[in-house]
Amino acid sequence: MAEGERIGLHNLKPVPGSRRPRKRVGRGEGSGTGKTAGRGHKGWGSRSGAKRRARFEGGQNPIHMRMRKLRGPHMKKSMPFEPFRTHTQPVNVADLEARFESGAAVTLEELGAKGLAGRKGVPVKVLARGELSKPLTVHAHGFSKAAREKIEAAGGTCEVIQQ
């Protein structure tokens, strides 16, 4: 290309050495791919129409046939569980002890601000890991039995939020 010539679709070329000529098989012994044309001797791979299929496992029972069959709504294993699963955000009593002062009201907004239950629209459940030594008024969607006992033993109250 000359110095002042504009680049366009009519004069684009690949970089020298980036494109190799295609392999011409079966064109005589001197070419390196004559006689069997790179297919070896006998066997399935030497036949016409032979292709190395993706997912082919050498003749053993393929994985899609080894896996269990989950067909139809009548089998328990085939139920789509995910739409019916309940998701909650766990908050432990130890986290409340560390982040709230005595007599504080623990609301969903407060929990989010302290980095405990930040996911909006997901119910919060208080669990009993840890100890609590200060009275707190805790507002949450659910409480484990042991967590409720610990909060009330410390002089606090548990208030369930209805969804």
Side-chain angles (χ1 to χ4, degrees):
M1 211 163 38
E3 279 295 314
E5 191 176 358
R6 292 180 60 185
I7 296 175
L9 292 176
H10 64 287
N11 58 9
L12 287 179
K13 287 187 183 128
V15 178
S18 68
R19 308 277 295 187
R20 300 190 65 189
R22 76 182 176 89
K23 185 191 289 190
R24 298 180 70 223
V25 296
R27 294 294 184 274
E29 282 297 291
S31 69
T33 51
K35 195 178 169 224
T36 56
R39 287 170 173 255
H41 292 276
K42 297 187 182 174
W44 185 72
S46 69
R47 314 293 187 204
S48 68
K51 292 185 177 67
R52 293 276 183 260
R53 192 174 76 235
R55 310 179 313 275
F56 184 65
E57 301 182 26
Q60 79 175 11
N61 202 17
I63 192 164
H64 73 275
M65 294 175 76
R66 296 196 304 262
M67 301 296 278
R68 65 185 187 189
K69 276 57 172 177
L70 301 179
R71 296 187 181 121
H74 62 284
M75 291 182 66
K76 281 185 180 174
K77 293 190 296 268
S78 67
M79 277 296 289
F81 291 113
E82 208 53 42
F84 308 108
R85 185 169 288 160
T86 57
H87 297 280
T88 57
Q89 299 181 73
V91 175
N92 282 301
V93 169
D95 300 326
L96 301 179
E97 173 75 25
R99 289 181 172 83
F100 290 95
E101 299 297 321
S102 179
V106 180
T107 62
L108 295 180
E109 292 78 26
E110 288 290 323
L111 287 170
K114 304 265 187 190
L116 288 177
R119 290 157 53 202
K120 287 188 168 54
V122 180
V124 174
K125 184 168 184 175
V126 180
L127 304 178
R129 180 179 291 165
E131 296 300 322
L132 188 65
S133 60
K134 47 184 105 162
L136 297 172
T137 305
V138 185
H139 302 263
H141 296 98
F143 296 88
S144 69
K145 186 176 177 183
R148 184 180 291 274
E149 289 170 2
K150 286 184 180 181
I151 292 168
E152 289 171 354
T157 57
C158 301
E159 297 192 14
V160 178
I161 301 171
Q162 299 299 324
Q163 292 175 330

